Amino acid sequence: MTTSDPLSRQSAKVQRDAKISDSVKARRCAALAVMDVTANGTALELALAATEDYAGLAPRDRAFARAIAATVFRRSGQIKAVLKPFVRKAPTAPVQAVLRTAVAQIIFMDVPPHAAVSESVDVLKSRKTTQGFANFANAVLRKVVEDGKKLAAASPPKANIPGWIRGEWERSYGKIPMTKIAVQLIKDPGLDLTVRQNREDLAAATGGTPVGQQSLRLKTIGDVTALPGFEDGQWWAQDLAAAQPAQILMRQFEDVKNIRALDMCAAPGGKTLQLAAAGMDVTAVDKSSGRLKRLEENLARTKLSAKIVHKDALEFDAEPFDAVLLDAPCSATGTFRRHPDVLHNRSPKSVADLVRLQDKLLPKAASLTAPGGVLVYAVCSLQPDEGFPRIKKFLENVPDFRLIPLLSLPGLDLPPERFEGGVVRTLPCDMPKSGGLDGFFIAAFRRKA
Ligand SMILES: C[S@@+](CC[C@H](N)C(=O)[O-])C[C@H]1O[C@@H](n2cnc3c(N)ncnc32)[C@H](O)[C@@H]1O
């Protein structure tokens, strides 16, 4: 992105950039990242990190850049509706990206409109290829300041969800839940921690609310490393829904101590930590070395242990395990509350590719499950194809496994239809009073003894 994008390809750049304030640089990072996510399917965090100014910015400016880009993806449909009357012919991608980031600030963020307009115009002026659009953008954004709020209000939250995803969710979950899911996209999701012990003490120290079996819910994200208990590994960040697959697996055993468990796609390790903290003898496999490094850091901080294997799980072999967790690679569309870019860097084709991989990983996980053992399949996806059809195909093709019907989740208030077919499907609009949760699909199986 940094070498090929039109905003960055400039010769006298260094000299000119010396005159640019950090807040303009932050806005430029946001626009570049928006382009990268949209054009190349890059994850937002990686796209931001790849922009040349990002690493040199203060944490506050980096957070500002991230908040602008995330708002563009949370409000994509409404931003489009705001710009439509004022932009007759689509400008080049870099100019569009700057306009979208400017509208995000003017309408949806706590930013003074005049600063959003003038600094966005400065972003365009900072590059030769875009400086010719400065007057045009200035005129458009002034109109946005005047009329943008009305235009945004006339566009419903569900307009922020790309059409192909909206169609799949509406067909699978219904029109009303779809509308409620869309409302979760424009809300601040807060932060869930999975707490090892003394949850009430941590709740008192942080003002958080205990929820589910092991989680503590905080209203704002902030600097997690500054929270009490971080240094000595009393907890780790993990969405309430993401904590369920390991809990379901552990509940199938009377005593989990020393049970041999395999976490097949383990990094960065939230579920490995849960299994290890309960006393299981855990082997954690993942094919990404970068993500495994984070798993190692998490184990070190929490002083927990697991045997780490850097390998493609399809090529991993070992003595079968009593407990196997397959938290499969998936589109991750269920995590849109904290990662709104997932709705903009996925496609029907990328989902189909993942489905093929899931269809290989599930039988592989079965082959690594001992007779009488338990296998749990989970995906943090809301796409229907990554859920029920996968386990239906698995049960048709792999003998010796039967579904363990899941009828409720302790401490979670979910409607009965979330357990249809003996599996669990959480929707982001569930438990709205306590703030919602990620979208997960979870199924559990036992192998014949
Ligand atoms: C949903 S994430 C796992 C999250 C993890 N279980 C946790 O709770 O922190 C899926 C993981 O699968 C890994 N992965 C993808 N394909 C894989 C494969 N063929 N073999 C092993 N790991 C794979 C990815 O690197 C990624 O870390």
Side-chain angles (χ1 to χ4, degrees):
M1 167 80 190
T2 46
T3 51
S4 62
D5 77 85
L7 279 179
S8 303
R9 231 186 289 126
Q10 296 302 316
S11 52
K13 183 193 158 303
V14 175
Q15 213 179 354
R16 254 198 328 271
D17 276 6
K19 296 183 210 138
I20 295 175
S21 70
D22 282 354
S23 56
V24 172
K25 283 183 185 165
R27 288 175 161 97
R28 189 166 67 191
C29 288
L32 288 166
V34 164
M35 277 174 67
D36 194 6
V37 170
T38 316
N40 308 320
T42 311
L44 177 56
E45 283 303 326
L46 298 178
L48 284 164
T51 60
E52 54 193 325
D53 294 321
Y54 193 69
L57 291 174
R60 202 188 57 166
D61 292 318
R62 285 207 295 269
F64 183 46
R66 195 179 316 116
I68 297 171
T71 305
V72 167
F73 295 120
R74 283 187 198 286
R75 300 282 190 167
S76 61
Q78 290 172 296
I79 290 174
K80 198 170 162 194
V82 168
L83 284 169
K84 200 171 171 204
F86 312 128
V87 181
R88 271 194 227 116
K89 193 170 153 242
T92 59
V95 178
Q96 271 191 57
V98 173
L99 289 175
R100 290 166 74 195
T101 54
V103 175
Q105 295 164 60
I106 296 166
I107 310 291
F108 301 113
M109 294 174 71
D110 195 14
V111 173
H114 64 272
V117 175
S118 72
E119 298 222 338
S120 300
V121 170
D122 285 349
V123 171
L124 292 171
K125 284 182 182 164
S126 75
R127 291 292 184 258
K128 212 172 182 178
T129 45
T130 54
Q131 60 191 199
F133 292 88
N135 288 342
F136 160 76
N138 192 34
V140 168
L141 295 176
R142 279 169 186 277
K143 289 182 196 151
V144 169
V145 172
E146 269 170 43
D147 294 330
K149 285 219 158 101
K150 261 185 282 163
L151 291 162
S155 176
K158 72 176 183 179
N160 296 318
I161 297 177
W164 71 276
I165 294 182
R166 199 159 69 212
E168 288 196 2
W169 293 358
E170 251 174 25
R171 277 192 296 280
S172 306
Y173 312 122
K175 284 200 168 165
I176 293 172
M178 167 65 224
T179 307
K180 293 182 183 168
I181 290 174
V183 171
Q184 292 299 321
L185 176 60
I186 59 176
K187 283 190 177 167
D188 184 348
L191 174 70
D192 290 347
L193 309 178
T194 297
V195 185
R196 287 169 79 174
Q197 51 204 352
N198 304 330
R199 181 166 63 157
E200 296 303 327
D201 294 348
L202 191 63
T206 58
T209 311
V211 52
Q213 278 194 314
Q214 277 185 290
S215 304
L216 186 69
R217 184 154 275 194
L218 308 185
K219 283 219 168 75
T220 50
I221 294 183
D223 176 10
V224 291
T225 62
L227 290 171
F230 174 80
E231 290 296 340
D232 48 347
Q234 279 179 30
W235 50 261
W236 49 91
Q238 185 177 43
D239 185 79
L240 173 63
Q244 302 309 309
Q247 287 174 5
I248 289 170
L249 181 65
M250 291 189 286
R251 273 200 295 276
Q252 310 311 316
F253 298 86
E254 250 171 52
D255 182 1
V256 293
K257 285 253 161 7
N258 302 321
I259 291 277
R260 284 182 69 243
L262 170 66
D263 191 353
M264 239 176 101
C265 293
K271 299 173 188 70
T272 294
L273 296 181
Q274 284 178 282
L275 303 177
M280 283 180 139
D281 170 12
V282 187
T283 299
V285 178
D286 204 285
K287 76 169 194 181
S288 158
S289 55
R291 289 170 69 95
L292 277 177
K293 197 163 167 279
R294 285 171 58 202
L295 171 58
E296 276 168 24
E297 286 162 6
N298 282 328
L299 286 168
R301 180 174 67 84
T302 51
K303 296 180 187 66
L304 290 167
S305 63
K307 182 177 170 218
I308 296 177
V309 182
H310 178 204
K311 211 174 177 102
D312 186 325
L314 293 170
E315 286 158 18
F316 172 74
D317 270 313
E319 189 76 11
F321 294 81
D322 304 309
V324 176
L325 177 57
L326 173 57
D327 186 24
C330 68
S331 62
T333 51
T335 67
F336 69 73
R337 296 177 315 138
R338 292 189 192 87
H339 305 286
D341 52 311
V342 295
L343 302 183
H344 297 270
N345 51 20
R346 308 296 196 251
S347 65
K349 184 188 172 303
S350 69
V351 173
D353 290 345
L354 287 160
V355 159
R356 270 192 294 280
L357 179 57
Q358 290 151 7
D359 280 346
K360 287 185 197 156
L361 284 167
L362 249 174
K364 178 67 188 178
S367 74
L368 289 162
T369 308
V374 179
L375 164 62
V376 166
Y377 171 77
V379 280
C380 55
S381 165
L382 286 165
Q383 303 322 116
D385 269 359
E386 297 180 86
F388 210 83
R390 305 285 54 78
I391 64 155
K392 187 167 177 284
K393 186 168 176 178
F394 168 68
L395 286 170
E396 280 164 7
N397 292 320
V398 181
D400 289 355
F401 281 79
R402 64 168 180 78
L403 199 64
I404 302 172
L406 302 171
L407 306 172
S408 67
L409 291 176
L412 268 66
D413 182 16
L414 299 175
E417 60 267 29
R418 300 287 179 269
F419 298 92
E420 228 172 80
V423 299
V424 184
R425 148 70 67 210
T426 60
L427 294 183
C429 58
D430 290 334
M431 301 176 63
K433 283 193 191 126
S434 81
L437 72 174
D438 280 353
F440 258 79
F441 174 88
I442 312 166
F445 311 90
R446 187 177 294 281
R447 184 172 189 168
K448 243 195 229 160

